[in-house]
Amino acid sequence: MATPDGRPFVVLGVSGGIAAYKAVELCRRLVDAGCHVAPVLTEHATRFVGELTFSALASEPAQTELYDAAAVIPHTRLGQSADLVIVAPATAHLLARYAAGMADDLLTATLLATRAPVLVAPAMHTEMWEQPSVVDNLALLRRRGVEIVEPAVGRLAGGDEGAGRLADPATIAEAALDLLGRRPADLAGRRVVISAGGTREPIDPVRFLTNRSSGKQGHALAAAAADRGASVVLVTTSALPAHAGVRTISVETAAQMHEAMTEAAQDADVVIMAAAVADFRPRDPESTKVKRELGAPEIILEPTPDILVDLVERRPAGQVVVGFAAETDHVLEHAAAKLERKGCDLLVVNDVSAPLVGFDHDTNAVHILSQDGTTVSVDLASKRAVADRILDRVMDHLNPSAEKDSR
Ligand code: PMT
């Protein structure tokens, strides 16, 4: 329930882990983005960070007690008022209590007493994060509709390294603002063309060469761009459903993708090649099924056209072109060379050998390289959150003075 002045009411739950200090920045970001933030700290959270810090930054004093003489039944007031409940960091203990439906402190009671969407950002040591009990609790919460901002891989308490580090506060804030439907329509009036999925290059009428791309990252980009007001064309090999409002062109081969992208990109403001295009295709695909009895066939390959390079060469003035790179070693070095070779404005590189990154996962982690020499890194997050970070960089490159509707 929004506050009388129209601000969304966000309960920010903080449980007891070393990452609790990062919730302070999250609180500030949410307030800056125009939210009314009501912090709720578990008893363990107060061991890591003081109530006073949150009270000073938030929209109302931080609360910690289920039984508070001044605030009658605070959990129902908070739960019923909330437009969104966030728990960041969410410890393994908090996830277990929430999954079990316990209500033994103000935060878990608020989680039970709300009908608002809930966003959970777990943080814990890798050993705990990988425990089957934690994995199961998280899967259960996900099935119940709880949104999860996956933790990143990196430095943990006590100098350890691994998966379980709280996601970046900026990433959590973005996911929260998405759930509140408060993303700016900063791409309104813009035309965005995106490719997605792995191309399929026929060997014969029943067999083809392809790769592991599912199309999830490209489809997430299309959904994010549409939500930000763009008119979106998605050229895809994937059967994943497209976001309402996105015009989808289904293709299969690199040649078909080339033709569709060239056509759609002509009057686009932004072109993003997230597809995994085959670099080679069978030169002489058979018109009838190759028979096993005739022995193993020799398949001669020929290179496919480099769609990205061609789009860069043909692009109209002011158009922002984004390429992707799937790498497995010397990631930043190879990406920098690819950015130069392809000539696009931005190159999004993912290390597809890293856990939960790249092909077919629901999550990704990327570095976004720009021709101006800057690199922005996005820690492991949902493909949708990564898509929004990429579009944020695109916004930096779009010429704001360009006439949007003159073409
Ligand atoms: O689809 P998902 O399962 O969600 O996985 C996402 C992804 C891993 C496919 C995506 O994040 C990604 O990395 N896409 C690019 C994969 C790729 O083909 O990378 P590359 O380094 O081989 O190609 C570099 C760039 O050139 C890409 O933008 C590619 O689209 C483009 N290219 C490549 C070959 C070709 N013939 N024409 C091209 O345009």
Side-chain angles (χ1 to χ4, degrees), residues 271-296:
V271 175
I272 305 178
M273 278 297 299
V277 185
D279 284 312
F280 302 98
R281 64 186 168 207
R283 193 188 62 192
D284 307 304
E286 299 292 339
S287 58
T288 54
K289 185 180 173 192
V290 175
K291 293 285 178 227
R292 181 187 170 88
E293 303 80 61
L294 298 178

Side-chain angles (χ1 to χ4, degrees), residues 94-113:
L94 186 284
L95 292 172
R97 290 191 294 137
Y98 182 26
M102 292 172 73
D104 54 348
D105 66 2
L106 181 55
L107 180 53
T108 47
T110 302
L111 285 164
L112 279 198

Side-chain angles (χ1 to χ4, degrees), residues 122-135:
M124 62 199 75
H125 256 73
T126 310
E127 293 81 353
M128 299 170 89
W129 174 242
E130 290 172 353
Q131 271 299 325
S133 56
V134 175
V135 172

Side-chain angles (χ1 to χ4, degrees), residues 195-198 211-218 254 273-279 304-309 322-327 338 342 347-350 352 358-361 364 366 383:
S195 70
N211 58 64
R212 294 175 184 279
S213 172
S214 62
K216 287 178 185 174
Q217 185 63 76
M273 278 297 299
V277 185
D279 284 312
T304 54
D306 193 320
I307 305 173
L308 179 57
V309 165
V322 182
F324 267 70
E327 302 292 345
K338 201 166 271 183
K342 303 267 185 179
L347 189 94
V348 181
V349 60
N350 32 206
V352 293
F359 295 115
D360 203 29
H361 296 295
N364 209 356
V366 302
K383 282 189 170 162

Side-chain angles (χ1 to χ4, degrees), residues 73-257:
I73 46 173
H75 65 289
T76 49
R77 178 191 74 87
L78 289 166
Q80 288 166 356
S81 307
D83 294 298
L84 176 67
V85 180
I86 304 174
V87 187
T91 59
H93 185 218
L94 186 284
L95 292 172
R97 290 191 294 137
Y98 182 26
M102 292 172 73
D104 54 348
D105 66 2
L106 181 55
L107 180 53
T108 47
T110 302
L111 285 164
L112 279 198
T114 193
R115 291 191 176 132
V118 175
L119 179 70
V120 160
M124 62 199 75
H125 256 73
T126 310
E127 293 81 353
M128 299 170 89
W129 174 242
E130 290 172 353
Q131 271 299 325
S133 56
V134 175
V135 172
D136 286 352
N137 284 335
L138 214 63
L140 178 63
L141 292 174
R142 215 190 286 272
R143 279 203 301 279
R144 291 179 185 158
V146 173
E147 291 285 333
I148 315 286
V149 181
E150 298 279 337
V153 178
R155 236 185 48 206
L156 303 166
D160 291 341
E161 293 262 343
R165 195 164 66 118
L166 183 70
D168 200 19
T171 304
I172 304 170
E174 273 169 22
L177 296 174
D178 281 342
L179 283 173
L180 290 165
R182 286 177 70 90
R183 272 255 154 219
D186 53 1
L187 283 168
R190 301 290 193 177
R191 285 175 275 246
V192 178
V193 178
I194 298 166
S195 70
T199 62
R200 291 189 282 273
E201 311 300 332
I203 295 170
D204 69 13
V206 298
R207 304 178 179 95
F208 50 74
L209 296 179
T210 191
N211 58 64
R212 294 175 184 279
S213 172
S214 62
K216 287 178 185 174
Q217 185 63 76
H219 281 239
L221 275 160
D227 282 346
R228 290 166 76 150
S231 130
V232 183
V233 175
L234 176 64
V235 178
T236 180
T237 64
S238 167
L240 286 172
H243 182 281
V246 169
R247 185 162 83 84
T248 303
I249 301 174
S250 295
V251 295
E252 219 170 276
T253 63
Q256 290 165 357
M257 182 171 279

